[in-house]
Amino acid sequence: MSARDKAISSTLGYALLGLLAREERSGYDLTQALKNPVGYFWFAQHSQVYPELARLETAGLVAHTLIEQADRPDKKVYRLTDMGRAALSAWLNADTELPRKRDELVLKAYSIWLADPAAAARMMREHAQTHAAHLAEFQSGLSNLEGEAGAALWQPDSPWFGVHAVLRRGIGYEREYSEWCEWLAQCLEGTEKGSP
Amino acid sequence: MSARDKAISSTLGYALLGLLAREERSGYDLTQALKNPVGYFWFAQHSQVYPELARLETAGLVAHTLIEQADRPDKKVYRLTDMGRAALSAWLNADTELPRKRDELVLKAYSIWLADPAAAARMMREHAQTHAAHLAEFQSGLSNLEGEAGAALWQPDSPWFGVHAVLRRGIGYEREYSEWCEWLAQCLEGTEKGSP
DNA sequence: CCATTCATGTAATCGGTTACATGATTCT
DNA sequence: AGAATCATGTAACCGATTACATGAATGG
């Protein structure tokens, strides 16, 4: 009844809690995790992570232990508290609003009729390749996971299942995006048949 | 050499220029357009649109005419200037950075192993339906466009082609999203076989 | 009668990015 | 010699959301 009434944290807070639910980590580790495929759908800089961790600790959702290190800087290793676990659970059950998409490339596509078709096609091919590369990364990530996790990959109460679900989303997203770029490039090139 | 050196506008500015390249509009109309499928990949509130239009006008990229109306509030109808068209063109040719994705539902999927599977499955089914509804909207939008635009739909120098490209992206995006939600729901339900 | 549409703005706030700041160790 | 990794913070800024503000006409 004390801290549960007001939704203490921003979405970033829950991203951090979700990572800490798996294992203890420092602010630095958390920031790294948000760069990897797993945190691919919620990015943050370290300058956002450290203050957020402080807020979560004030709210009693996480706690830290200072680890003194000889040849490296000391670090604060954070862990989830029982209240933190409860807050995470409550967030999972709450309604989720649709994200507002903002994609500059799609916005450019809307005005692409004003551009030089050949140059635009080249641009789209580049983006197709970028997304194809991301796709390949996710796919190899899933392969590795199969080796590591085995059957746990398909068990909804296993932490591996969470990674699995996110990777699947990444694979679908990048595949679709890459194909769209390719399709657009082909449309644009269709016009320029006679060029040498 | 006067206004081209510094990239005057934010991405929102180019979104507005892209709309005005097709036809003259008021700030109100522009805000509405950003709610429709066409502006689906770059949303903005009117409180952002009006100041941005003022900035664009100061920079000489748009100009407005005041239209006095009898039974409705007067309005300012904006049009693209030559400088505005040039700025739009330059933006189209410039490099496009990848958007940082932020999707709360995918973030929840990462922690879904902590949730009740049945409740989580229900949640995912709901989202699958939402995205399926968006998909249907985009598909009917494309059908309507075929009727309106005909062959121009496939001509890269036609404004219809821009709409076409964005709708295709919307269709692919929503289909993939909806299918992922369905897949997840089925995985989660797979566990709960024995429940009455 | 009340909500919605048309129409344009301003102000407060907040989440996120970029830049500032420090410093030891290890790799190239 | 210089860059990268580990490690933690603060400060300035900017883009975006929510709320404040006004007001006539139309539709349910």
Side-chain angles (χ1 to χ4, degrees), chain B residues 163-178:
Chain B
V163 187
H164 183 190
V166 173
L167 281 173
R168 283 242 165 188
R169 173 77 177 112
I171 287 168
Y173 177 86
E174 298 293 349
R175 177 181 290 134
E176 191 279 322
Y177 208 138
S178 178

Side-chain angles (χ1 to χ4, degrees), chain A residues 101 106-107 109-110 176 180 183-184, chain B residues 22 35-41 134-149 153 159-175:
Chain A
K101 289 175 276 302
V106 184
L107 193 64
Y110 184 64
E176 190 279 322
W180 177 76
W183 168 81
L184 232 180
Chain B
R22 289 151 186 269
K35 284 171 191 156
N36 291 345
V38 166
Y40 201 62
F41 287 88
H134 287 177
L135 171 60
E137 241 182 272
F138 288 143
Q139 277 172 331
S140 83
L142 188 56
S143 294
N144 294 341
L145 206 67
E146 271 165 24
E148 267 186 277
L153 221 89
W160 297 114
F161 182 72
V163 187
H164 183 190
V166 173
L167 281 173
R168 283 242 165 188
R169 173 77 177 112
I171 287 168
Y173 177 86
E174 298 293 349
R175 177 181 290 134

Side-chain angles (χ1 to χ4, degrees), chain A residues 59-86:
Chain A
L61 306 182
V62 301
H64 81 266
T65 311
L66 187 74
I67 306 288
E68 287 177 54
Q69 297 182 121
D71 55 349
R72 292 186 180 182
D74 298 351
K75 61 177 172 179
K76 297 180 180 176
V77 173
Y78 287 86
R79 65 185 171 279
L80 203 59
T81 64
D82 289 340
M83 270 177 68
R85 203 167 287 268

Side-chain angles (χ1 to χ4, degrees), chain B residues 3-4 8-9 14 17 56 61 80-93:
Chain B
R4 208 187 291 167
I8 304 122
S9 6
Y14 295 111
L17 295 181
L56 291 172
L61 306 183
L80 204 58
T81 65
D82 290 340
M83 270 177 69
R85 204 167 286 268
L88 190 57
S89 227
W91 170 70
L92 284 172
N93 287 333

Side-chain angles (χ1 to χ4, degrees), chain A residues 22 38 40-41 43 91-92 94 96 101-104 108 110 113 123 156 158 165 169 172 176-177 180 191, chain B residues 22 38 40-41 43 91 94 96 101-104 108 110 113 123 156 158 165 169 172 176-177 180 191:
Chain A
R22 290 151 185 269
V38 166
Y40 201 62
F41 287 87
F43 177 75
W91 169 70
L92 284 171
T96 313
K101 289 175 276 302
R102 285 212 179 79
D103 191 318
E104 201 172 355
K108 283 191 179 182
Y110 184 64
W113 57 286
M123 188 198 206
S158 157
R169 174 75 178 114
E176 190 279 322
Y177 207 138
W180 177 76
T191 341
Chain B
R22 289 151 186 269
V38 166
Y40 201 62
F41 287 88
F43 176 75
W91 170 70
T96 313
K101 289 176 276 302
R102 284 213 179 78
D103 190 319
E104 201 173 354
K108 284 191 178 181
Y110 184 64
W113 57 288
M123 188 198 204
S158 158
R169 173 77 177 112
E176 191 279 322
Y177 208 138
W180 177 76
T191 342

Side-chain angles (χ1 to χ4, degrees), chain A residues 11-12 14-15 17-19 21-22 25 38 40-45 48 85 88-89 91-117 119 123 126-127 130-131 134 154-166 168-169 171-174 176-177 180 183-184 187-188 191, chain B residues 11-12 14-15 17-19 21-22 25 38 40-45 48 85 88-89 91-117 119 123 126-127 130-131 134 154-166 168-169 171-174 176-177 180 183-184 187-188 191:
Chain A
T11 307
L12 172 61
Y14 295 111
L17 295 182
L19 286 163
R22 290 151 185 269
R25 289 172 215 247
V38 166
Y40 201 62
F41 287 87
W42 208 276
F43 177 75
Q45 279 335 102
Q48 225 185 330
R85 203 167 287 268
L88 190 57
S89 226
W91 169 70
L92 284 171
N93 287 333
D95 283 350
T96 313
E97 276 172 77
L98 293 176
R100 313 157 172 75
K101 289 175 276 302
R102 285 212 179 79
D103 191 318
E104 201 172 355
L105 192 68
V106 184
L107 193 64
K108 283 191 179 182
Y110 184 64
S111 294
I112 211 160
W113 57 286
L114 293 163
D116 170 57
M123 188 198 206
E126 266 178 56
H127 280 271
T130 304
H131 289 292
H134 287 176
W154 298 92
Q155 286 158 6
D157 58 346
S158 157
W160 297 113
F161 182 73
V163 186
H164 183 190
V166 172
R168 282 243 166 187
R169 174 75 178 114
I171 287 168
Y173 177 86
E174 297 294 349
E176 190 279 322
Y177 207 138
W180 177 76
W183 168 81
L184 232 180
C187 284
L188 290 159
T191 341
Chain B
T11 308
L12 172 62
Y14 295 111
L17 295 181
L19 286 163
R22 289 151 186 269
R25 290 171 214 247
V38 166
Y40 201 62
F41 287 88
W42 208 275
F43 176 75
Q45 277 339 100
Q48 226 187 329
R85 204 167 286 268
L88 190 57
S89 227
W91 170 70
L92 284 172
N93 287 333
D95 283 350
T96 313
E97 275 171 77
L98 294 176
R100 314 159 169 73
K101 289 176 276 302
R102 284 213 179 78
D103 190 319
E104 201 173 354
L105 192 67
V106 184
L107 195 62
K108 284 191 178 181
Y110 184 64
S111 295
I112 212 162
W113 57 288
L114 292 164
D116 170 57
M123 188 198 204
E126 265 178 58
H127 279 272
T130 305
H131 289 293
H134 287 177
W154 298 92
Q155 285 157 7
D157 58 345
S158 158
W160 297 114
F161 182 72
V163 187
H164 183 190
V166 173
R168 283 242 165 188
R169 173 77 177 112
I171 287 168
Y173 177 86
E174 298 293 349
E176 191 279 322
Y177 208 138
W180 177 76
W183 169 82
L184 232 181
C187 285
L188 290 160
T191 342

